[in-house]
Amino acid sequence: GNWLFLKNLHLVIPWVTVLQKELGLIKTPHENFRLWLTSESHDAFPSILLSTSLKVTFEAPPGVKQNLVRTFNQWDESFFQTKVQGQLLFVAAWLHAVVQERRSYIPQGWAKFYEFSQSDLKSCADVILLQSSGAQPDWKSIHGLLENAIYGGRMETEYDVRILRTYLQRFLNPEVLSTSRKQQSLHHKVMLPSSGRHPDFNALIANLADNDVPSLFSLPPRVVQTTKVVCVINDLQKLQETKELSAMTREEWASRLTPLLNTWLELTQVHSALLSHSPTNRREAKPIEGFVDAEVASSISLLLRVNNCTTDLRRVIEGSLLLSEGRRSEATSLIAGEVPLAWDGVFSGPERIVPWLTSLVHKAVSIQEWQQLCNSSMLLKSKLNLSSLMRPQTFLNALRQETSHVTREPLVSLRLVSSLGSPPPNAALPLCLTGLLLQGATIDAGTNLLAEIQTADAAAFFPMPDVYIAWVQSP
């Protein structure tokens, strides 16, 4: 008759099915027994367990202001020992709120949804208090620990790390403190109070705007409209598809699935050689050659996986094959317009199934063209589009390794540089990229310099001229 509380089941999704089976074996549970489960939203959480449970949803109010309110409700006046440390604690809470709320603008904000939590804020506050216990805060150590461990340790792209580094330089510096001769604001007249007392910080928070604006996160004005439009369209599509799926007969199931199977057939018939392509084995492949061969192998493997599934589903519709549980799950995702979990994760692409299939075939064709250029030693002399690749970041790493081999410089001494119009100076292996888009600014055609967007209703993305990149030795 006891109560059992299991937390964070989203971290052990494979085990949840085991729990579900154990619960099913309990024939007559004690009338006072209660099982409490907590989990964040997860697509793979067993739906049967959800349907048999009483559900309570908790979602913290969004916005930097509400984020700060929650933090300062947990911190009392005993946290604020000195004026400087009190101000630095507020900056830590401000930084934490900004990096958390920036997740509302994915992928413009961060590349993905990072699991920043209260433990990160506690670690951040501990680091700041420890490194500011002397006469002057150790800014270098604070920046290093926050960038490389606490917040930056979760980040998966150099772009996100650069954003975090900019925030650290902007918020955690002597100029934001009230002791500075020319005090800087955190954002648009948000100045740290000179007292460093808990009530004064609460008063500052109370005067903040209830709703965030994109400029608070250094994002362009149109990011709100872009994010909302995408969310609304996706939500409406899912609602419509869920309603239709709930009352579908076998004939309707087949009729909904057949157009998708025909779409895949049309996409692959033009490039039928892709499905019979044999991998290339090089004895002593250079880093870029090895990467291109691996990309070809990955694309062909995914193509075959999709093709095998569509072939099996077509046979099920024709009545010559029984529907397995795995194929049923994939068919359900296809009818819902989603990418099946078994196919997802190989490359970053559209969320809807038809654009995703089109993107897969396009990438597979383009990657084989890269391999042909590589075989003729013309790859690095050609204009390349990184959207053709499954893993563009890995290609940049391969270019770094090959540059290291050519220049005989260690990898850690090389940094990535870019330029417009001509290759960067002293570049051993320059590369010309085409098809890049710029968000949040434009390129002035006369000077090739960044220019501000003049109107809020301007386009969300702007095409860039050809960009030259290279790995060069750090000065």
Side-chain angles (χ1 to χ4, degrees):
N2 294 327
W3 288 16
L4 178 61
F5 184 47
L6 303 178
K7 297 175 60 178
N8 300 327
L9 292 191
H10 61 281
L11 301 177
V12 287
I13 288 297
W15 178 81
V16 177
T17 56
V18 178
L19 173 64
Q20 179 180 322
K21 293 177 182 178
E22 291 295 328
L23 293 175
L25 295 176
I26 302 177
K27 296 182 178 179
T28 55
H30 194 281
E31 61 179 5
N32 293 327
F33 172 69
R34 298 292 185 273
L35 176 61
W36 292 81
L37 309 175
T38 67
S39 173
E40 294 184 7
S41 176
H42 198 290
D43 292 337
F45 198 96
S47 58
I48 296 177
L49 183 58
L50 281 176
S51 63
T52 57
S53 304
L54 296 176
K55 294 170 283 294
V56 178
T57 302
F58 171 76
E59 184 176 3
V64 168
K65 179 178 180 178
Q66 295 300 326
N67 198 303
L68 291 170
V69 168
R70 291 193 296 274
T71 298
F72 273 77
N73 284 340
Q74 298 174 5
W75 290 354
D76 54 29
E77 294 191 23
S78 62
F79 274 70
F80 301 82
Q81 299 292 333
T82 67
K83 180 173 70 173
V84 171
Q85 286 189 337
Q87 293 180 358
L88 288 176
L89 281 175
F90 182 86
V91 174
W94 179 273
L95 171 68
H96 183 76
V98 168
V99 298
Q100 275 198 324
E101 300 305 322
R102 190 181 173 95
R103 297 179 301 186
S104 302
Y105 302 99
I106 292 172
Q108 291 88 351
W110 302 116
K112 61 176 293 186
F113 191 92
Y114 296 117
E115 296 289 345
F116 301 125
S117 64
Q118 286 299 113
S119 61
D120 297 313
L121 174 60
K122 183 180 183 303
S123 300
C124 175
D126 290 344
V127 166
I128 288 177
L129 290 176
L130 180 63
Q131 299 300 329
S132 62
S133 57
Q136 293 292 332
D138 187 349
W139 300 109
K140 185 175 181 181
S141 297
I142 292 174
H143 288 186
L145 288 169
L146 297 186
E147 177 184 336
N148 298 305
I150 297 174
Y151 291 108
R154 300 178 184 272
M155 296 180 174
E156 299 180 3
T157 68
E158 178 60 28
Y159 171 76
D160 287 346
V161 174
R162 284 205 311 270
I163 294 173
L164 174 63
R165 188 181 302 127
T166 302
Y167 280 149
L168 295 176
Q169 295 169 353
R170 174 70 181 83
F171 300 146
L172 288 164
N173 70 80
E175 302 301 322
V176 302
L177 302 178
S178 62
T179 54
S180 173
R181 291 185 178 180
K182 191 175 180 181
Q183 185 181 5
Q184 292 181 356
S185 63
L186 293 174
H187 169 71
H188 190 58
K189 299 181 181 180
V190 179
M191 311 282 286
L192 293 177
S194 58
S195 65
R197 295 173 57 248
H198 188 275
D200 294 332
F201 290 123
N202 279 331
L204 174 61
I205 295 171
N207 290 327
L208 294 175
D210 293 327
N211 299 319
D212 296 336
V213 293
S215 60
L216 176 60
F217 308 99
S218 300
L219 292 170
R222 276 187 61 87
V223 71
V224 177
Q225 294 92 323
T226 303
T227 305
K228 286 183 177 179
V229 167
V230 172
C231 290
V232 168
I233 291 175
N234 288 339
D235 289 344
L236 290 175
Q237 287 177 333
K238 289 179 180 179
L239 286 173
Q240 180 66 23
E241 289 157 357
T242 302
K243 180 180 178 181
E244 294 174 355
L245 284 172
S246 61
M248 190 176 294
T249 64
R250 176 178 175 81
E251 290 73 18
E252 291 172 336
W253 181 86
S255 65
R256 287 286 300 274
L257 199 55
T258 300
L260 290 171
L261 303 182
N262 292 337
T263 297
W264 175 251
L265 190 62
E266 292 171 3
L267 288 171
T268 53
Q269 274 183 340
V270 184
H271 309 287
S272 57
L274 288 174
L275 300 175
S276 59
H277 182 83
S278 56
T280 301
N281 295 319
R282 306 176 196 263
R283 290 185 177 180
E284 297 182 359
K286 297 179 180 178
I288 291 181
E289 292 175 342
F291 164 80
V292 172
D293 292 344
E295 282 284 282
V296 171
S298 296
S299 64
I300 297 303
S301 175
L302 185 55
L303 278 171
L304 291 175
R305 192 184 312 168
V306 175
N307 193 65
N308 290 338
C309 173
T310 57
T311 302
D312 288 349
L313 292 177
R314 192 177 292 278
R315 291 178 61 193
V316 170
I317 293 174
E318 294 170 351
S320 61
L321 184 69
L322 293 176
L323 182 62
S324 66
E325 188 59 36
R327 294 299 189 227
R328 182 192 301 276
S329 175
E330 290 170 327
T332 301
S333 298
L334 292 174
I335 293 174
E338 300 172 351
V339 181
L341 288 176
W343 305 355
D344 202 10
V346 179
F347 68 95
S348 178
E351 294 183 357
R352 310 303 296 172
I353 184 60
V354 173
W356 187 90
L357 293 174
T358 305
S359 178
L360 171 60
V361 174
H362 170 73
K363 286 178 181 291
V365 173
S366 300
I367 290 169
Q368 291 207 10
E369 293 174 355
W370 278 50
Q371 190 176 52
Q372 294 171 3
L373 291 172
C374 196
N375 294 338
S376 61
S377 301
M378 293 297 294
L379 182 66
L380 299 183
K381 300 176 183 178
S382 306
K383 293 184 179 181
L384 303 177
N385 192 323
L386 292 183
S387 66
S388 303
L389 300 176
M390 301 270 191
R391 303 165 298 160
Q393 181 64 44
T394 307
F395 171 70
L396 295 181
N397 291 334
L399 179 62
R400 187 182 193 182
Q401 292 177 356
E402 191 145 330
T403 303
S404 176
H405 290 175
V406 171
T407 61
R408 299 187 180 277
E409 298 290 345
L411 285 173
V412 294
S413 69
L414 299 177
R415 61 188 179 93
L416 187 65
V417 297
S418 61
S419 64
L420 298 177
S422 61
N426 304 320
L429 291 177
L431 192 65
C432 182
L433 300 181
T434 187
L436 295 180
L437 299 176
L438 180 64
Q439 183 182 26
T442 61
I443 297 290
D444 186 276
T447 61
N448 276 345
L449 298 177
L450 288 175
E452 292 186 3
I453 298 176
Q454 300 299 323
T455 59
D457 59 348
F461 296 93
F462 296 89
M464 293 187 66
D466 292 344
V467 178
Y468 289 86
I469 64 169
W471 290 94
V472 300
Q473 188 176 12
S474 301

